[in-house]
Amino acid sequence: MDLQFFCRVFLITALISLVCQVCSVTAGDIVHDDDLAPKKPGCENDFVLVKVQTWVDGIEDAEFVGVGARFGTTIVSKEKNANQRRLILSDPRDCCSAPKNKLANDVIMVDRGHCKFTTKANHAQAAHASAILIINNQKELYKMVCEPDETDLDIHIPAVMLPQDAGTSLEKMLISNSSVSVQLYSPTRPLVDIAEVFLWLMAVGTILCASYWSAWSAREAAIEQDKLLKDALDEIPDTRPVGSGGIVDINTTSAILFVVVASCFLVMLYKLMSYWFVELLVVLFCIGGVEGLQTCSVALLSRWFKRAGKSYIKVPLFGTLSYLTLAVSPFCIAFAVVWAVYRNVSFAWIGQDILGIALIITVLQIVHVPNLKVGTVLLSCAFLYDIFWVFVSKKLFHESVMIVVARGDRSGEDGIPMLLKIPRIFDPWGGYSIIGFGDILLPGLLITFSLRYDWLANKTLRAGYFLWAMIAYGLGLLITYVALNLMDGHGQPALLYIVPFTLGTFLTLGKKRGDLRVLWTRGEPERPCPHIRLEHQHHEELDDDNH
């Protein structure tokens, strides 16, 4: 095994372990968990995000996002129904006593601390404020609830908490003697965004492309093996197909260990998540993306540049490379570097998705599930893994470890790059719909196996397993998005829905058609050895000559 292939296998193993950290689909949390803050009369609002649009001297300025309180009046959802009001800085700043300011239906801005949230709101209401903005003493948002002993509250103005940095910006506007006004509204998020449709198509299309490439390669290798066997009756090569030297077969033990290693990586990411750690993941992702983009590009271009694709040169440390690979590599590296440098711009998601899709297709081409037994063990372990780290981990860590890692809450960035994402086009809150590589890669290993089996068994599309496995995957992913919207945007473990659909369909069809034993053990149909066929034909010809 040359150094290039060893590095490729090592990198793919590391990246597969990392991509399973994001096996959840999320559209951003806009409604907070209400279980810890029970509702009661006068304190029964849902927690919603609120847009705070500002104007400085009549000119539209920055927009901030806060969270509405459990108490107070509900905030209008449409911008056209929201009134523009003057913003006043409270005196005293904490508003724990009656403000000295003269308010005329203005919005008052106060600091958090020294008294209850409801006390601040009552003082602001008594001073004729139209709304109260409470500035948190941290960068995060905090749910403003009522105290257990507070009953029958009578607060009729909206109360919104803003993060510390937003408060700092608003204070600078006010101190500069400018006239500052604000508008508060909480737009409703659409039930379905077209971004989810495109993300679904990307996931299904990626597996589709990878499956046909993998099946075509397997069939070409089988044909090549048959040719070699026909050319040499006395020299029987290895029973593995020619060209399988670049393939990594997963076994049952590695499938189980893989999930254990992935869990260790997840905990490490959760504990060490920081800016520098995300930067390290970006470097790893770029290396994997370059490898994937190069492999896919060479495979496509070799159809037109066959001579360059079949001419090789030995490169120190990297082994034997084709001239086409050498020509393509600089462009792939440049693409990844440009994405890494400008990954925070609005359109950088396009480059991330291109690198990610190329990486996934390459992994599905190189890493194979040899039979249904290994596929079942791998997906079953991933199924339990997904449920544990999305739901059960809340009991141990007081938050969903997987969702925290996926969003990059502690890194100061937009999350780790091992995911596909598309901006939510019609969502007034913006953000991205995302899907982790693991939600495509792990089911994809089983689906690519199904098409390889179908082609080697000469099965038609309807009589095979690939079509039904693809439909099952698409339905499972669709159900994930339905669950996501029903859960008000809370992250969902996609494999919770995808694995039963995909694996259940495969096992049921295999049992019904009588192929389950072959699929479970061999993983490929029995084919008569060409040398035995040729020997039989040779004997028949001799018998005819004797007669």
Side-chain angles (χ1 to χ4, degrees), residues 224-474:
E224 185 67 22
Q225 184 189 36
D226 286 349
K227 288 181 180 179
L228 289 177
L229 289 170
K230 289 176 184 178
D231 291 341
L233 289 176
D234 56 339
E235 185 179 345
I236 307 301
D238 184 12
T239 55
R240 297 293 299 170
V242 174
S244 64
I247 301 300
V248 178
D249 275 337
I250 303 174
N251 56 36
T252 306
T253 304
S254 61
I256 297 172
L257 286 175
F258 165 70
V259 176
V260 175
V261 171
S263 296
C264 294
F265 267 110
L266 180 58
V267 174
M268 182 179 70
L269 283 171
Y270 177 73
K271 294 295 185 182
L272 301 178
M273 182 64 70
S274 60
Y275 174 80
W276 70 265
F277 202 80
V278 172
E279 293 297 306
L280 176 61
L281 295 181
V282 167
V283 172
L284 281 176
F285 173 72
C286 286
I287 295 172
V290 167
E291 172 68 22
L293 196 58
Q294 172 189 287
T295 303
C296 294
S297 300
V298 169
L300 287 172
L301 294 175
S302 60
R303 294 178 174 271
W304 292 279
F305 302 96
K306 294 182 180 180
R307 186 172 180 179
K310 293 180 179 179
S311 301
Y312 296 90
I313 184 173
K314 196 165 185 178
V315 180
L317 298 178
F318 293 97
T320 304
L321 300 174
S322 69
Y323 285 102
L324 186 57
T325 301
L326 289 176
V328 166
S329 295
F331 295 98
C332 298
I333 294 171
F335 185 89
V337 170
V338 169
W339 171 81
V341 172
Y342 297 100
R343 69 181 184 278
N344 292 322
V345 300
S346 59
F347 54 85
W349 62 272
I350 300 173
Q352 181 172 328
D353 288 349
I354 291 173
L355 291 171
I357 289 172
L359 175 60
I360 293 172
I361 292 175
T362 301
V363 171
L364 291 176
Q365 170 67 12
I366 295 173
V367 181
H368 283 185
V369 168
N371 53 49
L372 188 54
K373 177 184 176 182
V374 174
T376 301
V377 171
L378 179 64
L379 287 182
S380 298
C381 290
F383 175 79
L384 297 174
Y385 164 91
D386 224 16
I387 293 174
F388 181 86
W389 289 112
V390 172
F391 295 131
V392 182
S393 63
K394 289 182 180 179
K395 304 294 183 183
L396 302 175
F397 299 89
H398 307 294
E399 58 186 348
S400 176
V401 173
M402 189 178 290
I403 292 177
V404 169
V405 171
R407 292 189 311 214
D409 289 356
R410 302 177 180 179
S411 65
E413 299 219 356
D414 292 331
I416 66 177
M418 285 75 174
L419 46 84
L420 302 183
K421 64 180 185 179
I422 296 181
R424 295 177 64 83
I425 300 170
F426 298 115
D427 193 330
W429 291 105
Y432 294 87
S433 289
I434 67 174
I435 182 170
F437 286 2
D439 300 328
I440 304 173
L441 248 175
L442 296 176
L445 289 170
L446 186 67
I447 296 171
T448 53
F449 161 74
S450 69
L451 187 59
R452 288 196 302 272
Y453 179 87
D454 288 351
W455 280 22
L456 293 175
N458 294 318
K459 288 182 177 289
T460 62
L461 194 61
R462 288 188 61 185
Y465 295 92
F466 172 71
L467 173 64
W468 309 110
M470 277 299 307
I471 291 174
Y473 174 78

